[in-house]
Each structure stands twice: as C-alpha cells, then as structure tokens.
C-alpha cells in the first residue's frame, strides 16, 4: 500500500479518540503519534534504498510479532500507569497503527506474518492480479476508499472544538 497508510492512521486515531475521555488539549499529540505509527514500518525504506537494497518487507519493522509485542507492552502500560496516561496512549496508538499498516500491506504486498519462525509470505494479491498495473488492482481502490473515508472523518471532526 502506498497512499492509504496515513488516511488509515487518521481514521483509526479518530475512532479511538472518540472512545477516550477526550482531553481536548491532547488531541493533536494523539493524532500525530497515531499518524506517525501508521507510516513507521516504512521507515525501513531508507535502509533498503540506501544500504541493503533488499525487499523492505523482510525487515523486522515489517514483522507483525515486533509490533504485536510493542502493542501489548503499550496496552499494559496504559492499564497500569495512571499518572502518564497521555504518553501511554500515544504509544498505544503508535503501535496499533503500525500493526494496521502491516494488515494493509498484506492487501497489496507480501508480509511475513509468522516471522521469525517461518519465511512464508502472506498476501491478498491473487496471482492473476500480481502482474497487472498497480493502479488497476483492487488494492488501489481500497487506497482511494481510505482517502475518501479519511476526508469524511476530517469533515465531520472539523466542526469539533479541538
Ligand atoms: Zn509497509
């Protein structure tokens, strides 16, 4: 997925924000960490492009077990620490959206869901569509849908006092 990660991070962050106690001064920080988490796994692109030249989905930053572990730690922190709830909530949305990133990457690419225990790739791309131009695949339609949905959430929340 190319364009859908940031919109998905925006949508997820707003959904979770709506379920929180909504301290309005914290919204922008929460949104920042949520959207940063949505693209965090792709920071490995720099290493891939500049140094290793390998497929970046084979790095630990695209291993689900890495983000699931961090998500569980963040969730535990959020449950236990009542004094630094904003920091814990930021870590939680960061890691949650990084995990959502991997789910979305599975739609349009290949993810090692069982790594490091197995090198089997998982993907929702069919063999028929794999050779087709990306912009004609249904994964691209999903990206457009996420952008549209994020715009709807933004329009709805723009009336909110933050
Ligand atoms: Zn990615």
């Amino acid at each position: 997925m190319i364009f859908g990660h940031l919109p998905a991070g925006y949508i997820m962050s707003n959904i979770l924000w709506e379920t929180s106690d909504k301290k309005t001064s914290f919204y922008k920080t929460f949104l920042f960490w949520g959207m940063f988490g949505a693209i965090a796994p792709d920071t490995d692109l720099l290493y891939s492009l500049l140094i290793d030249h390998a497929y970046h989905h084979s790095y630990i930053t695209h291993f689900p077990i890495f983000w699931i572990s961090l998500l569980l730690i963040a969730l535990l922190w959020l449950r236990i620490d009542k004094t630094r709830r904003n920091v814990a909530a930021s870590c939680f949305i960061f890691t949650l959206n990084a995990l959502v990133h991997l789910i979305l990457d599975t739609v349009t690419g290949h993810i090692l869901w069982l790594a490091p225990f197995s090198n089997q790739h998982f993907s929702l791309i069919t063999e028929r569509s794999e050779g087709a131009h990306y912009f004609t695949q249904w994964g691209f339609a999903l990206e457009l849908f996420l952008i549209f949905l994020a715009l709807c959430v933004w329009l709805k929340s723009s009336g909110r006092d933050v």
Side-chain angles (χ1 to χ4, degrees):
M1 185 156 287
I2 302 167
F3 309 107
H5 291 305
L6 273 177
Y10 182 78
I11 294 163
M12 282 298 295
S13 301
N14 275 283
I15 289 171
L16 280 188
W17 181 258
E18 288 298 319
T19 62
S20 72
D21 55 1
K22 299 176 189 169
K23 294 176 186 167
T24 53
S25 63
F26 177 55
Y27 172 73
K28 287 180 181 171
T29 305
F30 186 78
L31 190 61
F32 169 80
W33 286 110
M35 292 182 71
F36 185 38
I39 57 169
D42 279 346
T43 54
D44 59 11
L45 271 169
L46 285 175
Y47 183 77
S48 171
L49 292 172
L50 299 175
I51 297 168
D52 193 34
H53 306 292
Y55 183 47
H56 73 111
H57 285 188
S58 62
Y59 299 142
I60 191 171
T61 44
H62 274 81
F63 286 5
I65 196 168
F66 175 71
W67 292 109
I68 289 169
S69 301
L70 292 178
L71 179 64
L72 291 175
I73 292 168
L75 184 62
L76 190 65
W77 184 11
L78 192 60
R79 286 276 186 195
I80 292 172
D81 192 350
K82 302 296 179 197
T83 58
R84 289 172 288 185
R85 287 191 64 80
N86 288 356
V87 179
S90 296
C91 288
F92 179 76
I93 193 65
F94 180 86
T95 52
L96 178 68
N97 281 348
L99 191 60
V100 169
H101 176 113
L102 300 189
I103 293 168
L104 292 174
D105 271 357
T106 306
V107 174
T108 58
H110 301 270
I111 293 294
L112 298 161
W113 276 93
L114 302 177
F117 309 108
S118 167
N119 286 329
Q120 184 179 357
H121 288 89
F122 292 89
S123 177
L124 294 178
I125 297 175
T126 61
E127 283 183 29
R128 244 179 70 201
S129 65
E130 199 156 0
H133 194 279
Y134 181 68
F135 296 111
T136 62
Q137 295 177 6
W138 63 272
F140 182 65
L142 175 63
E143 299 211 50
L144 292 177
F145 176 72
L146 287 169
I147 292 168
F148 172 76
L149 201 58
L151 281 172
C152 291
V153 171
W154 177 73
L155 285 173
K156 183 178 176 254
S157 67
S158 63
R160 183 173 59 212
D161 188 22
V162 288

